[in-house]
Amino acid sequence: MTKAIFPGSFDPLTLGHLDIIQRASALFEEVCVVILENSEKKSLFSIAERLAMIQENCKSYANVTCAADTCLTVAYAKKRGATVILRGVRSVKDYEYELDIASANAYLEPSIETVLLFSNGAYAFISSSIIREMMKYGADISKLVPEHVKVALEEKYRNL
Ligand code: ADP
């Protein structure tokens, strides 16, 4: 009976994120998708907007919840009673980054395990930053993000 948290920026949520969430929901008793502010990234969507995107797209998964916080990832896992930090890996570049983060988290809290799921091949090139770049130049992103997110992106770029 393992609870997992899936931390990230989700700016915005993509079909790559959703694929990881769907697969994790079948593996864990509970999955908490949590927006933890990455101080090195300037966000396009507010926390409330990103939470709404996750809520809208995860409502069919009974064991998936979502939240936002500003603490360290391990502190959030402990607060939620989760023993797993879940992350997705698209490439060797992701792997190297995730290894550093997982090692730092294990140093801070050895009782919490990092579990990595490999990206579905069809979604491996999708990142929130690529979606934002495509949107900026009017490319078609309809097969890369959920419909609700596409609408929110169109709205955001119309008003920028
Ligand atoms: P962060 O700023 O914490 O990296 P992201 O929202 O960019 O936040 O990513 C959150 C998690 O989702 C990370 O583990 C990332 O590797 C994973 N992820 C992002 N895009 C994909 C994708 N297309 N396929 C699988 N995992 C992904």
Side-chain angles (χ1 to χ4, degrees):
M1 288 290 133
T2 307
K3 282 189 193 177
I5 63 163
F6 182 37
S9 308
F10 307 103
D11 187 35
L13 180 75
T14 70
L15 290 185
H17 291 128
L18 259 188
D19 178 62
I20 297 288
I21 293 167
Q22 180 182 10
R23 287 158 58 201
S25 78
L27 291 173
F28 300 102
E29 180 199 3
E30 186 185 321
V31 178
C32 175
V33 182
V34 59
I35 301 166
L36 291 176
E37 280 296 272
N38 182 333
S39 47
E40 285 172 14
K41 291 187 182 176
K42 196 180 162 296
S43 58
L44 175 66
F45 288 100
S46 70
I47 297 278
E49 288 170 326
R50 285 180 271 163
L51 270 177
M53 286 172 190
I54 299 167
Q55 251 150 13
E56 172 68 22
N57 287 284
C58 294
K59 59 187 178 197
S60 57
Y61 307 118
N63 62 341
V64 175
T65 59
C66 69
D69 213 320
T70 49
C71 57
L72 279 173
T73 307
V74 286
Y76 188 76
K78 285 202 91 175
K79 188 156 113 180
R80 290 297 296 247
T83 51
V84 166
I85 295 170
L86 174 72
R87 297 279 291 174
V89 174
R90 290 162 289 194
S91 62
V92 171
K93 187 167 151 265
D94 269 1
Y95 169 79
E96 287 179 348
Y97 176 69
E98 295 300 339
L99 178 59
D100 284 348
I101 304 280
S103 304
N105 285 334
Y107 167 79
L108 291 170
E109 194 48 69
S111 65
I112 295 177
E113 289 287 354
T114 293
V115 171
L116 301 177
L117 288 185
F118 288 109
S119 179
N120 175 324
Y123 300 138
F125 72 95
I126 306 176
S127 65
S128 298
S129 59
I130 281 179
I131 297 292
R132 295 194 302 268
E133 194 68 8
M134 286 181 170
M135 272 310 290
K136 197 166 141 189
Y137 296 106
D140 180 9
I141 45 93
S142 53
K143 294 197 171 70
L144 310 178
V145 297
E147 178 60 24
H148 177 85
V149 173
K150 180 179 172 246
V151 171
L153 276 162
E154 285 166 352
E155 176 106 326
K156 182 70 75 179
Y157 279 87
R158 233 192 330 267
N159 298 324
L160 270 189

